[in-house]
Amino acid sequence: MSVYKGIHLRSIFLTLTSHVIVLGLGYGIAQNLKREVDTQKEEAPLRTQSSNRSTDSTDGDGPELLAEFRKDFLQKKSRYEELKESLQPAADLRAAAISTIEDWENNRSGQDHIESESMMLVRFYHWLRVNPREAMEYLSAPQAGEDSLKSRELLSKLALNVLPDVAREKRVMKSIGWLTSNPVGILPLWKTLISEMKDGGGLALFLRVENELAEISKPWLEIGAEPHGREALRQAGASIQLSEKDSLLDYVKLQGETDRAINLLLGFAGTSDAAATWVLGLVERQELPVMVARRLQGGLGNEALKQNGMDMEKRIAARRFTDGNGKKLRENILGELVANDVRRLLNEGRDWRFEFRHGSASLDDILTSMEGALKIPDEGRDAAQIALYRTLSEENPEKALPLLDSLPEDRRREIMFSNTWQSYGNVNPDDFIAFVKKLPAPETEKEIQDRMKGWEWKVRGSLQRYGDDYIEWVAALPSNPDKYAAINSIIWATRERNPAKAAALNQRFYPKKP
Amino acid sequence: MSRLKTIAFAASHVVFGLIGFLLATRDTGPAPRSPRATPSLSKNQPDGTRWIEKSSGLTHSLRPLKNWRGSEHVMAWNALCRAKLSTKDRIQTQRELLKSWAKVDLAAAMRAALDEAWDSDDEQHYNATGPLVDAFADAFASHPEESWDLIQNGGFGIGSSMLRQVWIQTIGTKAPLLLAALVKDLSPNDREMAVNVCASGTWYSLNKETQTKLLEQFAALPANIISSEQLADFLTMDPEEMGASALREELLHIQNPADRIAAAKAVVLGRLLAPAPTEEIAAAIADLPQPLKQDILISALDTGVSMTGEKLTSLLDLLVAENTWEKLGKRQVPGMLLASSRNGNARQIADWVTTIPFRKEATEMFYRGVETYLSDNMETSKEWIAAIPSQEWRDRAYATYSQGALNAKKDPTASRWALDHIQDPVFKSEAERWRLNWEKKRAIPSK
């Protein structure tokens, strides 16, 4: 390499380096500026005007951003949880807990209420962990607050998370004593019991707790006492394993006709199709005491409603037990069961309604999923399609319409017209009017009545939800029979509550000629 | 280096610096949509689906989560429909996204929320404002004035009523005095909600100072904005503790009976007296000033909405005697008469309404009072109508008969018979119009 060439290369190298440095400097300055802007933005007041810049959007980065966002908020801990992990217990647990009450009291509706409340909760958590009886005694006495209302509010705050947290750590059997010292402890007791039953304790644990509670004589301890008892017992029943069914039967026979026995059985029946079939079998084979079976039947029909996996004939038999179903036509009961299965699939599984509304799931996708997830007998196919139509039409009426293609024309029309009142509850009124506008011209008295009924049913709820805005919305509709159907329904609905206002509306929409 | 070379050298460095600057400032995500662009979230696609239009070519965002702008929120929001979440998780995510989005672009977040379904998809989050809108409560609480302006002027259509409900519920709890100052400008429905929220706040927070200020603020407003009944909820005394006789004593010595706080106390006395026999109520109010008597009686009537039969008509007799027509006309008396009629008192109620003087405020009471008896006795009531002494009431009974024949019995001939008995030609034409409305309703075409 010649000297000249060496100098030239060095010069090129230096020039390039200096350019890269300048480029980097420019980049750095801009980044700093941007950080400043971002910081200012964070501190900026609420933006109530969207930017006028409009660029095409994409979901190119969307999935990643969404995943990042979800990860963040799902991991986010409540302030109570954060403090529970980070705050060291004070030397004097009792004094530290009591000293937080005043601050919590003063900040109940202020900006700092979350901080002061969380601090109060954690200080009591510390005290309860070490000396639960003493803490509960303090909380149950009037000095906990200036008056009984404050004392109750304080306890109800603690009952939500703190008492169950402490009980979970100590286990339910070791928490019965202190939790039962105040009625507020009953819900946390149930919560802990049910969670431990689910974790393997099962019916055996329930029986141990029940025995223990029988030794304590307090009115609020009667298992099954309202208001929480029924639901708690159902949940306890739902935490019993299928393998424990024989012990459950022994227990129920021993108990006789009690809320305890009936609700445990019903809760258990709701756990699986096998459990529901087993409970139904007990009733059919008359293995249960007569009064237990009688009280159980209505609820059992409702459980069968939820068990798509159960044999259809058994479901129908169970449904017949519920009020009003005894003499119902078989096909009607079957239709109700299938329709309910479809609605449950749409509400509890994947978010099909939302995906259908936004076009990311097609009718075929949903039908395929339905076929895979539900057992639908041939005679229930129409009912399934109709139930699917009634729900999906609210999201996209035109795309849902092919669901009715397999029906005879008069049945198809009947479903479409009755959809005005059987569906579209609580939807955006603009969506409802869009649906109504696309209905074919009514040809029969029944079709006219159905359409009218649609308005009558919508108006009552809409007036409650949108208030006077709904009246203005109706007033702005083009003058056609739908508008007058809505106006008449508004006047009638208003008349029941406020005759003077109804009269004013009547005058507004039907002015008297001078 | 020659002069030219020096210039070129310097210029090239400036250019590279600029390139560096531009590289760094390049927006890494799409800009938030304009107020009218955001509704295009709901833009109907040719196949009827609603979603934002797609484009491509975006680089990954460099902004950490806490610095997200509207654009990141839009992208994450749009990605939800392909995220295959359960309904519960989707709604939870939307609510969290809206809370975050509201901090940087409340208008766009509100539009996005209103663009979704308003019913409760998972039946978990249902409330009067749907599953999403109340996610804005914190944003409203942080910026009450700005958010109120936005709700009122943001062009949200009928959806603004749901936003307003959330705003009222939130501010009524956090800053009741601010809400109270707005009350006079609200629509009647919203006003009622606002006053109720303020009242419930005073019950649970037990803040006497705020309660007193609210009472003062509301008492300064006229009765058509805040009624005596509403005002009664803000009285700082405990009426239950005070008792009916002590309250009556206080009202006997009231200096200015037109005072709004006195009227509110009269309402409380009416509530306490409501369960008593009508004769006792009459005796308790006998010596009180006229306007307060009316307030007490009306309040007793409002409290006993489920009263029927003689108890109802005897209390109404007292109200008629005190000439309370203006207030009576605004009450649910027609509904109470109808309910009582349907509850086995049809003839007694129908007879009673023919005894009240004919006047405008009483007409609705009359219609609902005779409706059940006439519809249930289409044949025998013909004589009963003919025997009504007042011609005005008789005409209205025939008109009610006609409506019953049409709506309950689908019998246009019976309706015609009744309409032809109406004597006042002006009223007859009105009754004919009612029939015409019925005919129009039946003939409803498609569009």
Side-chain angles (χ1 to χ4, degrees), chain A residues 18-19 61 351 451 465, chain B residues 12-13 59 90 93 165 446:
Chain A
S18 68
H19 277 82
D61 283 343
D351 200 2
R451 191 161 171 164
R465 196 178 204 194
Chain B
S12 69
H13 275 77
T59 57
R90 185 261 303 172
T93 309
Q165 277 182 50
S446 68

Side-chain angles (χ1 to χ4, degrees), chain A residues 267-284:
Chain A
F268 177 71
T271 54
S272 66
D273 48 30
T277 308
W278 178 75
V279 177
L280 178 68
L282 296 180
V283 176
E284 286 177 336

Side-chain angles (χ1 to χ4, degrees), chain A residues 134-433:
Chain A
E134 187 193 79
M136 285 299 276
E137 198 178 311
Y138 171 81
L139 286 163
S140 306
Q143 76 267 18
E146 286 164 28
D147 54 42
S148 60
L149 184 75
K150 280 174 199 167
S151 173
R152 279 204 301 275
E153 200 183 334
L154 184 62
L155 263 164
S156 63
K157 291 273 174 205
L158 291 164
L160 212 59
N161 291 316
V162 178
L163 300 186
D165 283 356
V166 177
R168 229 184 332 264
E169 286 173 27
K170 294 185 176 300
R171 312 291 291 171
V172 68
M173 287 304 290
K174 293 221 165 126
S175 298
I176 293 174
W178 62 272
L179 277 176
T180 54
S181 65
N182 188 297
V184 165
I186 302 308
L187 267 188
L189 176 69
W190 272 110
K191 217 169 160 179
T192 317
L193 168 62
I194 289 163
S195 128
E196 287 184 30
M197 281 177 77
K198 279 198 167 76
D199 288 347
L203 181 64
L205 180 65
F206 179 86
L207 298 177
R208 283 176 66 204
V209 171
E210 188 187 39
N211 276 337
E212 194 81 8
L213 287 175
E215 300 296 314
I216 308 168
S217 164
K218 277 180 183 158
W220 60 82
L221 284 180
E222 172 57 27
I223 288 198
E226 292 298 345
H228 326 298
R230 201 181 100 125
E231 187 44 38
L233 282 163
R234 294 270 176 109
Q235 284 186 35
S239 312
I240 296 171
Q241 309 294 319
L242 192 60
S243 56
E244 292 181 293
K245 64 181 192 311
D246 294 332
S247 312
L248 177 61
L249 180 59
D250 291 343
Y251 174 79
V252 167
K253 282 181 176 168
L254 207 68
Q255 280 284 316
E257 185 217 346
T258 59
D259 284 346
R260 232 176 285 191
I262 288 155
N263 288 306
L264 277 182
L265 270 178
L266 283 175
F268 177 71
T271 54
S272 66
D273 48 30
T277 308
W278 178 75
V279 177
L280 178 68
L282 296 180
V283 176
E284 286 177 336
R285 294 190 300 275
Q286 299 180 351
E287 283 183 49
L288 291 171
V290 181
M291 286 308 289
V292 175
R294 197 169 291 168
R295 283 189 56 196
L296 187 72
Q297 288 173 355
L300 193 57
N302 291 332
E303 293 306 325
L305 204 57
K306 299 174 199 159
Q307 299 299 338
N308 174 261
M310 211 173 151
D311 174 75
M312 184 53 90
E313 294 314 313
K314 295 224 176 292
R315 293 180 85 191
I316 292 173
R319 272 310 276 166
R320 284 216 184 277
F321 289 141
T322 49
D323 280 346
N325 278 355
K327 290 179 183 164
K328 216 180 240 182
L329 287 176
R330 183 182 179 283
E331 65 189 73
N332 289 352
I333 296 183
L334 187 136
E336 279 170 14
L337 285 165
V338 170
N340 193 61
D341 289 342
V342 171
R343 278 195 295 272
R344 282 170 62 85
L345 177 81
L346 291 172
N347 282 337
E348 292 172 11
R350 198 167 127 190
D351 200 2
W352 289 118
R353 294 178 60 169
F354 176 74
E355 292 182 30
F356 187 68
R357 181 182 183 86
H358 292 299
S360 50
S362 68
L363 217 44
D364 280 346
D365 294 335
I366 297 173
L367 284 168
T368 309
S369 157
M370 192 172 88
E371 291 296 335
L374 298 179
K375 273 173 30 182
I376 302 171
D378 286 344
E379 53 186 331
R381 299 236 150 244
D382 284 355
Q385 299 271 107
I386 292 167
L388 205 53
Y389 169 75
R390 292 222 189 275
T391 310
L392 293 181
S393 66
E394 290 178 358
E395 312 304 333
N396 191 327
E398 283 175 36
K399 272 177 70 182
L401 206 51
L403 285 164
L404 303 182
D405 283 353
S406 60
L407 300 175
E409 182 56 14
D410 56 343
R411 179 81 173 126
R412 192 172 158 274
R413 289 179 68 98
E414 185 196 329
I415 301 300
M416 284 166 70
F417 278 93
S418 60
N419 216 37
T420 55
W421 53 276
Q422 290 209 25
S423 293
Y424 284 87
N426 296 316
V427 301
N428 183 335
D430 289 330
D431 289 352
F432 178 63
I433 191 85

Side-chain angles (χ1 to χ4, degrees), chain A residues 26-27 30, chain B residues 15-27:
Chain A
Y27 190 91
Chain B
V15 168
F16 265 74
L18 264 174
I19 291 170
F21 189 91
L22 286 174
L23 271 174
T25 52
R26 185 182 55 159
D27 199 346

Side-chain angles (χ1 to χ4, degrees), chain A residues 483-489 491 504-513, chain B residues 433 437 440-441:
Chain A
K483 176 176 183 166
Y484 289 100
I487 287 173
N488 293 343
S489 299
I491 294 172
L505 287 168
N506 200 41
Q507 176 60 23
R508 173 179 172 183
F509 291 113
Y510 300 108
K512 282 181 191 158
K513 282 171 198 158
Chain B
R433 203 160 48 241
N437 284 342
K440 268 195 220 161
K441 267 171 72 173

Side-chain angles (χ1 to χ4, degrees), chain B residues 277-297:
Chain B
T278 311
E279 305 80 60
E280 269 182 43
I281 301 178
I285 63 166
D287 309 330
L288 292 172
Q290 172 76 11
L292 296 182
K293 273 187 189 178
Q294 291 193 357
D295 289 331
I296 293 167
L297 289 173

Side-chain angles (χ1 to χ4, degrees), chain B residues 173-247:
Chain B
T173 316
K174 304 267 179 192
L177 293 169
L178 175 64
L179 178 60
L182 268 181
V183 154
K184 61 181 188 313
D185 302 320
L186 297 175
S187 74
N189 276 62
D190 288 342
R191 193 187 305 148
E192 193 181 334
M193 187 198 303
V195 173
N196 287 342
V197 177
C198 288
S200 63
T202 64
W203 296 330
Y204 76 76
S205 71
L206 303 170
N207 184 334
K208 288 266 191 279
E209 195 191 336
T210 312
Q211 207 172 336
T212 309
K213 278 186 189 158
L214 283 171
L215 180 67
E216 282 167 10
Q217 220 164 312
F218 285 143
L221 296 171
N224 65 339
I225 297 292
I226 179 156
S227 66
S228 304
E229 291 73 26
Q230 290 174 310
L231 206 53
D233 291 336
F234 297 91
L235 291 174
T236 43
M237 56 169 198
D238 184 344
E240 295 291 335
E241 254 172 47
M242 199 166 175
S245 36
L247 201 52

Side-chain angles (χ1 to χ4, degrees), chain A residues 495-506:
Chain A
R495 193 169 281 156
E496 290 164 13
R497 291 168 50 91
N498 188 340
K501 187 171 179 181
L505 287 168
N506 200 41

